[in-house]
Amino acid sequence: MSKLYFRYGAMNSGKSTALLQAAYNYEERSQHVLLAKPAVDSKGDRAIISRLGVTRMVDFLVEPDQNLRDVFAQHAANFEAETGNKIACLLLDEAQFLTQEQVNQALEIAVLDKVPVLAYGIRTDFRTVSFPGSKRLLEIAHSLEELKTICRCGRKAMFNGRKLNGEFIFDGDQVAIDGEEVTYESLCASCYLEKHSL
C-alpha cells in the first residue's frame, strides 16, 4: 500500500535537500516523480532551493483553493500521455502551507490512487503554533520522520525564531516569507525561551 509521509524539521534542517535527494533516488531507478509546492511560498518562485545550492523547478504550484488530488491527476495524466510513463511518487515541499483539505487529498492520492506522497515542511511557526497543513499531516500521515538540525548553542533545534531587522519578534502573521528584513533562526527550547516566554 502506498503511504503519505511527513518529513518535518525546524528551518535549515535539510528538508529541501532531502526532497531533492528523494527525487534523484527515484529517477536514478527510472521511476518518475512530480514535484510541487504551495503557491503561497513565493520564495524561489517556482523553484525548490536547497541551502547546499541545488535547485530544481517544481512541476506545478498548488493554489489555496485548488483540489490537490485533481491537480496531481491532471499533471500525472499529461506526463503519461507525453512519455508513456506513470508517476511513481508525488513530492511536496513547504507542506505546512497546504490547507487541511489538501492534506486530506494527499492521503487520497496515496491510498486511493496508490501513489506515495512525500511531504516536507516545518511543524510550527515562530510562535510555536502549528500550521494548518502540518497539524493535519501530523494527524493522518502514515509515517512521521523528524529531520534534525542544531541550535547556535549546539543543542537540537526544534523552534523557528523570526527576526525583523536582526531582532527576534513573536507577534505577526503566521506566514511571512523571507524578505529583505525578515529572517529565521532555528533554536532549541532553551534559547527560544531565553528570547521569549511562551
Side-chain angles (χ1 to χ4, degrees), residues 95-151:
Q96 70 272 8
F97 296 136
L98 295 172
T99 66
Q100 291 192 23
E101 188 56 36
Q102 288 168 338
V103 173
N104 292 342
Q105 294 154 4
L107 180 66
E108 291 172 355
I109 292 168
V111 175
L112 302 178
D113 302 330
K114 299 177 177 40
V115 176
V117 178
L118 282 62
Y120 295 78
I122 58 177
R123 190 174 49 149
T124 59
D125 67 13
F126 69 106
R127 302 164 300 177
T128 70
V129 175
S130 292
F131 285 91
S134 299
K135 180 179 184 298
R136 191 66 180 140
L137 280 160
L138 289 166
E139 292 168 344
I140 67 171
H142 293 94
S143 174
L144 302 173
E145 179 184 347
E146 183 179 14
L147 303 176
K148 297 173 180 67
T149 191
I150 59 170
C151 179

Side-chain angles (χ1 to χ4, degrees), residues 79-93:
F79 182 84
E80 186 173 355
E82 291 171 12
T83 67
N85 297 307
K86 293 191 177 295
I87 294 298
C89 183
L90 172 61
L91 298 160
L92 295 168
D93 197 28

Side-chain angles (χ1 to χ4, degrees), residues 166-180:
E167 298 293 323
F168 283 101
I169 60 170
F170 299 92
D171 294 311
D173 293 334
Q174 186 172 52
V175 178
I177 305 299
D178 298 64
E180 290 180 29

